[in-house]
Amino acid sequence: MNGDRRPRFTAAVERLTRCGTLIVGGTAGALVGYDVTPESWSGDARLAFTGITAASIVGVFDTLVPRRRPARSAGRRTPATLPESLAQAVTATKQDAACRAAYATWDIDRSTSYLSDEDQWQGYEDGTASCYLAPGVWLHYRSEKGASGMERSRFALLTGDDEHPVRIDNVEQIRRQLAARSLTLRNGEGQEAASARRTGLPTT
């Protein structure tokens, strides 16, 4: 049991440290942004500039927060051939994608273990990753460059019966999507049972 508590405690400390650092960064950015704006500016203009400054400093602070690296077993074995080296690079790319996805879930989920365990994620060669949530439901991760050139994490909910992904910005959206899907399945099972009673056929 102590082995289970230690990783959770470490993850909790890491999250609190990051949260505190981002709060400090945002506060500092707000103070600096408001202080440097000319008093001749309108209140809305000063407020907008303050928000931009705070967001920029938060981004800088976020890059300074140390991230916990997963424990690795043995070092990389020296490849004897090019195909073997390529295979190692493919494996590393998949592991890297899974780790990045797990760490990036902080942006949408502040709980301790729902999405943040890299073992829940399957990484792929293109740098994307997916996390199984329920039968026929996956959370998909990808990274893309924003207008400023900085990498941004994107999450989307994928289902086996709908080709259109649903953008996810917080874990509450996942809850709503799963609840709606559960209700749809229950209604479908109820209609099937009612139809069976009318026809006298057994339900599957």
Side-chain angles (χ1 to χ4, degrees), residues 22-37 46-58 61:
L22 296 184
I23 290 175
V24 172
T27 303
L31 293 175
V32 171
Y34 193 81
D35 187 60
V36 299
T37 53
R46 298 186 73 182
L47 185 62
F49 183 83
T50 298
I52 295 173
T53 304
S56 300
I57 294 184
V58 164
F61 270 58

Side-chain angles (χ1 to χ4, degrees), residues 1-168:
M1 182 173 294
N2 290 337
D4 293 333
R5 289 177 179 175
R6 187 172 301 171
R8 291 182 180 179
F9 176 77
T10 302
V13 171
E14 178 187 348
R15 288 174 181 273
L16 289 174
T17 301
R18 185 180 181 194
C19 184
T21 303
L22 296 184
I23 290 175
V24 172
T27 303
L31 293 175
V32 171
Y34 193 81
D35 187 60
V36 299
T37 53
E39 295 184 0
S40 58
W41 286 16
S42 67
D44 290 342
R46 298 186 73 182
L47 185 62
F49 183 83
T50 298
I52 295 173
T53 304
S56 300
I57 294 184
V58 164
V60 173
F61 270 58
D62 187 36
T63 62
L64 299 178
V65 179
R67 304 291 184 94
R68 180 174 56 92
R69 293 291 296 173
R72 300 299 186 194
S73 53
R76 181 175 70 94
R77 184 169 62 88
T78 303
T81 64
L82 181 59
E84 186 177 351
S85 178
L86 176 60
Q88 290 181 349
V90 168
T91 300
T93 300
K94 293 179 179 179
Q95 291 177 346
D96 177 75
C99 289
R100 289 178 184 274
Y103 291 145
T105 57
W106 170 260
D107 296 330
I108 64 171
D109 175 26
R110 305 300 169 90
S111 66
T112 57
S113 60
Y114 180 54
L115 300 171
S116 60
D117 184 357
E118 59 260 26
D119 291 336
Q120 295 175 292
W121 288 87
Q122 172 63 53
Y124 305 106
E125 291 184 52
D126 61 356
T128 63
S130 63
C131 177
Y132 173 86
L133 297 178
V137 184
W138 295 266
L139 183 64
H140 183 261
Y141 159 85
R142 63 184 174 88
S143 178
E144 65 179 24
K145 285 189 177 182
S148 63
M150 297 181 62
E151 292 287 337
R152 298 177 61 90
S153 300
R154 299 296 187 190
F155 292 91
L157 204 66
L158 304 178
T159 60
D161 51 7
D162 189 350
E163 61 181 8
H164 301 292
V166 177
R167 176 173 171 173
I168 297 297

